[in-house]
Structure formats: C-alpha cells, structure tokens
Amino acid sequence: MNATTTAIRPTDRRAATIAMACLGVFVAYLPITTVAVSLPAIQRALHTTTAQLSWVQDAFVLPMAAFIMTAGVFGDVHGRKKVFQAGLFCCAAGAAVALCAHNIQTLWAGQALAGLGSAALLPTTLALISHAVPDFRERGKFIGMWAMAMLAALAVGPVIAGVILDHYSWRWIYLLSVPLALVAMAVATPLLTDSRAPHGRKLDWPGQITAAVAVTALVYGVIEGGADSFTATKVIAALAMGVVALIAFVVAEKRSDSPMLDLAVFRSAAFTATALVALITFLGLIGFFFVLSLYFGMVQQLGTLEAGARLLLVPVAAIVAGGPAGRLMHRVPTRWMISVGLLLIAGSLLAMTNLDTDTSYGSIAWRLIVLGVGLGLVTTPMTATAVAAVPHQLAGMASAANNAFRQVGGALGPAVLGALLSTRAVDTLPGHLADAGVTGSQAHTIVSTAKEGGLGAVAGMNLGSTANQVYGALGDSLLDGMRLCLIVAAVLALIAAACAVVLLRRPKQRTRTGAARTAEVVRHGAPETSAENAQAAGTAQPLGHRRS
C-alpha cells in the first residue's frame, strides 16, 4: 500500500464511493432520454424504417434488462469495483461505436454494448453504497442521492440532445458519455472502496443463462408483437421460449447451492412489493414518456429542444421531492410514501387526458410537476426498501433484481403503450380524415400507409393541397391514442399503489420458529444491521436474520 492510499481516510473513501456510485448511475441512464428525443433525426439521417428505428432504443434496454442480475452476481463474486469499472468501459466503448455509426446495424451494436455496461453499473452502484453505509437510517439519504443522480440523467438528456441537434449531427449526442465514463474509471481506481459478498458465493451459470434467455425472449416477443402481430410465428415462438426459459430459471435457482436470485427473498413482502411496484410503475411511466414525446413532436409540432425543456419538468420535480423523501423514510412508513406518490402519478396522468392540440405550456406544466413529485416520492423509498428487505450482504442481489424488474417494465412500456397508441390512432384516423374533408382514394392510401409504417410514415407522403387537413386529422388520431395510453398508465399506477398498501404492511412479530423458515438463506450469513433494516422495510425481520 503506497503513501497516497494510506493518506485517504475512511470517511473520504466513503464519500468517494458514494460520488462514484452517483456518477455511475448517471452514465448508465444518460443514453435513455438523449436517444429517445433524437430518434426522428436518426431516422432522417440513416433512412431507416419505423421497425428498424424502434430497435435503436430496444437494443440498449434489452441487454440492460437481461444481464442486470448476472452483473450483480459477478460483482458479489469478483468484486463490485471491477464490475463497476467494466461497466464504465462498456458504456464508453458503446458510445464510441454509436458515435462513429454510419448505418443502423452499427448503431444497434453500439447501443447494445452501452446497455451491457449499464447493466453492470446499476446493481454494483447500489451494492457499493450499501457496503459503504451499513446503517440503514443513514443509508437512505445516500440512496436518495443515487436516485436523484438517475433522475438528473433523465432530466438533462433531452436538453443536451436538443442543443446538439439544433447545431450539429445527431451522432454527437453520444460524445458526452465517453469522457464521463473514462474519467470515472480513472478516478475510481485509487479512491473507490471494493466489496464483495462473503461466505463463498459463486457464479450460477444455469440461472444466468436461463434468466438472460427468458428476459430477452419475452421482451422481444412483446416488442415485435406490438409492432407487427401477436399471432406472427416469430412472436409466438419468442414468447413460448421465454416461458420455457422462465420455468427452467425457477427450477435452476431452487436446485442451486448459490443461486443468482435466491427465490427465498420473495418471502419478504417488502421485497416482493417493491419488485412489483418497480415493474408496473416503470412500464407505465417509460411508456408515458414515449407517448408524450410524440404529442409534443407530432401534435404540437415542437422542436427537440422545446420538447426536451417541457419533459425536463418531470425529473426536476422528482429531484426536488426525492431529496426530502430519502430523509423521511425512517419517520414516515414507506408504504404510505410510495402509495401517495403513485396516487399523485395516477391523478396527473388522468388530468392529462383533456390535453388538446393547442393546450398551453402553463396548463401542461402543473400536471407534469405533480407527476414528477409523485415519481420522487416513489423512487427513493422503493429502492431503499428493496435493499433493506434482505440480509445486508445480499444487497447486490436485491438491487440487481429490483433494477431488473424496473428495466423489464421500462422495456415493455414503449412496446405496450406504443402498440395501444398506434392501434387506437389508426382505428380513428378514417373518421378524422372524413371530418377534415379528405375522402376517397387519398384517404384509403393514407390509412394503408399508417397501418403499414405508422403515423410518422404519413408525414413523408406527398399530400399536396390537403396537407394541413391530413396533419390535423393525424393530430386528432394521435390524441385519441394518447388518451387511451394515459388511462392505461394511470390504471397501472393505481395497481402499483394497491400492491404497496397490501404488501408493505408491517406484519405481526414472528416467533422463534420464524428462523427455521429462512434457514435456506442463513447460509449467506446474518446481516449486520438487520433490526434497522427490518424496521425501515416494514417487515418483522429480513431474510437470514438470527434471533439472539
């Protein structure tokens, strides 16, 4: 150990670990919104079809969802610092590949590599914080900072993309990720405190392979089913493969001596609740952002920067609300904090169903702010509760699983709500065209084009003197689809709130026989802060706890 290393105090190392964790999750989430608002520019530059364009973002989300739990296990076994740095390297390499892409296939490859890096960063950053701050009451504040860094990435992404697209080529949206990731790698080498799971945790290859196949096949099937048809052969095959792989995963985990996801963690009502809330909430919210970006671009005809500035209200409000939420977690029951946040989200989504073509910015703003406040009240306690609901040394597994559910929901959101929006809009388009005075063969051609290539394909047609009428009909059809999506997203938020209220109840105190129920998990060791974790998570005792 050299003099420089010995001069670093433990408090400084903890601060550096937390700072690196926040920077890591920022790098992981930055590509999501920067790419989302840049898709129209990418389509024009690379001359892609709508189906090819949809896979630009899915190429990033799929590996992130499929390999998050695998990355968590690698961190537990080989050291979270190593996996953290490997994730940063993959993010930088993926951004560099996308930056140099001159065709859609190369862009997909860059997105997939960056998604793999993000999969490595998400569980390791939370596990590093959990190790650096073992006391739950204090840890909640730092998990709140982690959640705020994630929301900050979502907030600045559209603004960065808007500024770049107004002056430069779309490919430069990837530039910022490269130096950020490389600088973080360099700084983490001397400062970041490493950690790993004790007690002989090892890699679970059957579980990792079956989980990756299950998530990839299921998400692929839903995405392709929404874009094409759920009766298509490839979609049926993908969904069937996903179900078979999911069953194989459960069997493999039950038989494994060191499972990637110990199914006993689902005995904790708190962990199960946060997993369901993460899946359902992000399915609705990420799908909502996708739909709202179409509203700003295709209905209100706003530029990328203007649309990004409006979307900025949601994560900024979430950041403002999330800070106090992290400090209040040990004073206010988490089920009420999460439930109130989800009710605010549902209320704001329902309030947006009366948006119209000429709705003013001020009228939209308050709805987006309420949505952001609700998101801020949900994100921090949801993440902290998932980590606290399991033994201290299984924080990597818990954070990886919670993030996996979140990313699967995020991957399904645009596919599910996008399919609903497209179907509803195309169904109502003939009526709106007739109301606008567009009939006959032209109306038939427009509807056929919308069915085959999506509403965006109609904008590329030569519409002649009827362009304004057609664009008006398209906007009205899109509003019909958007309203349906808003109602579905609001219902999903209400379902998530019900899960939180029911499953996050504080159960009656267990007797001594409760230790026998969790004997399978005790082999991982007893948590150092089990009492605090149990109180904060709303459970009597976390898994693996031994009574004295």
Side-chain angles (χ1 to χ4, degrees):
M1 184 179 293
N2 57 40
T4 302
T5 304
T6 56
I8 301 175
R9 295 175 298 178
T11 54
D12 295 333
R13 283 193 174 277
R14 189 177 80 164
T17 299
I18 294 166
M20 288 296 99
C22 290
L23 182 56
V25 75
F26 183 90
V27 171
Y29 267 81
L30 185 61
I32 294 178
T33 49
T34 52
V35 174
V37 299
S38 304
L39 290 177
I42 293 173
Q43 184 174 34
R44 289 191 299 268
L46 298 181
H47 309 290
T48 66
T49 65
T50 303
Q52 289 175 323
L53 189 69
S54 68
W55 275 103
V56 172
Q57 199 148 22
D58 294 331
F60 177 86
V61 175
L62 257 182
M64 185 193 290
F67 293 104
I68 277 181
M69 289 193 291
T70 299
V73 176
F74 267 82
D76 288 345
V77 174
H78 297 295
R80 289 148 187 162
K81 179 177 178 179
K82 296 184 183 70
V83 177
F84 175 81
Q85 290 182 303
L88 288 171
F89 177 79
C90 286
C91 285
V97 171
L99 181 64
C100 301
H102 290 282
N103 56 62
I104 193 65
Q105 290 78 16
T106 305
L107 183 58
W108 289 342
Q111 284 281 93
L113 187 55
L116 188 62
S118 296
L121 289 174
L122 291 175
T124 52
T125 49
L126 271 176
L128 286 167
I129 291 177
S130 182
H131 177 79
V133 188
D135 178 70
F136 177 81
R137 293 178 182 272
E138 189 179 12
R139 189 195 312 155
K141 176 177 66 176
F142 296 113
I143 289 181
M145 294 171 60
W146 178 92
M148 294 309 101
M150 178 187 72
L151 293 171
L154 296 177
V156 302
V159 177
I160 292 172
V163 172
I164 290 174
L165 292 175
D166 279 351
H167 298 90
Y168 307 101
S169 168
W170 64 269
R171 65 183 71 255
W172 296 108
I173 63 173
Y174 291 99
L175 180 62
L176 181 60
S177 295
V178 178
L180 273 180
L182 294 179
V183 167
M185 284 180 63
V187 173
T189 300
L191 294 182
L192 190 62
T193 301
D194 199 5
S195 65
R196 65 185 68 197
H199 305 293
R201 186 154 163 76
K202 59 184 180 181
L203 297 178
D204 170 30
W205 288 111
Q208 289 159 26
I209 293 171
T210 53
V213 172
V215 172
T216 302
L218 289 173
V219 174
Y220 173 85
V222 172
I223 291 172
E224 287 297 302
D228 186 6
S229 170
F230 281 97
T231 59
T233 303
K234 64 178 180 180
V235 174
I236 295 174
L239 294 176
M241 181 185 296
V243 172
V244 172
L246 185 61
I247 295 172
F249 171 75
V250 172
V251 173
E253 297 309 272
K254 285 186 175 182
R255 294 181 176 180
S256 176
D257 293 332
S258 181
M260 177 177 68
L261 176 61
D262 196 326
L263 300 181
V265 298
F266 289 100
R267 294 175 186 170
S268 165
F271 181 85
T272 302
T274 55
L276 289 174
V277 169
L279 175 66
I280 297 170
T281 302
F282 273 74
L283 192 158
L285 278 179
I286 300 301
F288 158 76
F289 281 119
F290 172 77
V291 170
L292 193 64
S293 65
L294 292 179
Y295 167 75
F296 285 139
M298 295 183 65
V299 178
Q300 293 204 324
Q301 299 293 310
L302 299 179
T304 305
L305 184 57
E306 290 178 292
R310 283 160 172 73
L311 290 171
L312 185 66
L313 288 174
V314 177
V316 167
I319 290 171
V320 172
R327 294 189 291 270
L328 289 174
M329 280 192 304
H330 62 282
R331 299 178 184 175
V332 179
T334 54
R335 72 169 174 145
W336 295 121
M337 191 180 299
I338 292 174
S339 300
V340 169
L342 289 167
L343 290 176
L344 288 175
I345 290 172
S348 64
L349 291 171
L350 291 175
M352 278 186 256
T353 56
N354 65 354
L355 295 184
D356 211 334
T357 305
D358 55 355
T359 302
S360 67
Y361 174 55
S363 182
I364 298 174
W366 73 264
R367 296 170 170 88
L368 296 179
I369 291 172
V370 171
L371 177 66
V373 171
L375 182 60
L377 292 178
V378 171
T379 303
T380 299
M382 177 178 66
T383 305
T385 302
V387 174
V390 300
H392 172 65
Q393 59 272 21
L394 296 183
M397 177 192 293
S399 61
N402 187 262
N403 274 299
F405 279 102
R406 184 182 312 180
Q407 294 309 319
V408 169
L412 294 177
V416 174
L417 294 190
L420 287 175
L421 181 144
S422 179
T423 301
R424 176 64 174 167
V426 171
D427 287 344
T428 60
L429 182 57
H432 289 301
L433 286 173
D435 292 340
V438 180
T439 58
S441 60
Q442 185 183 24
H444 178 74
T445 302
I446 290 172
V447 173
S448 299
T449 302
K451 287 182 178 179
E452 294 176 4
L455 296 178
V458 178
M461 296 175 60
N462 183 10
L463 300 172
S465 61
T466 61
N468 290 334
Q469 294 98 305
V470 173
Y471 290 147
L474 285 174
D476 291 338
S477 299
L478 189 65
L479 282 172
D480 290 336
M482 186 185 76
R483 291 180 184 120
L484 175 62
C485 291
L486 288 170
I487 293 171
V488 171
V491 170
L492 289 173
L494 292 174
I495 293 173
C499 291
V501 170
V502 173
L503 295 177
L504 286 177
R505 289 179 180 177
R506 188 188 304 275
K508 294 180 181 180
Q509 190 73 12
R510 294 179 187 168
T511 61
R512 288 181 61 88
T513 58
R517 281 183 60 199
T518 57
E520 183 182 356
V521 190
V522 171
R523 64 176 178 272
H524 295 293
E528 299 171 15
T529 57
S530 55
E532 292 170 332
N533 288 359
Q535 181 182 3
T539 57
Q541 298 293 347
L543 297 175
H545 179 77
R546 290 172 177 155
R547 288 183 176 274
S548 58

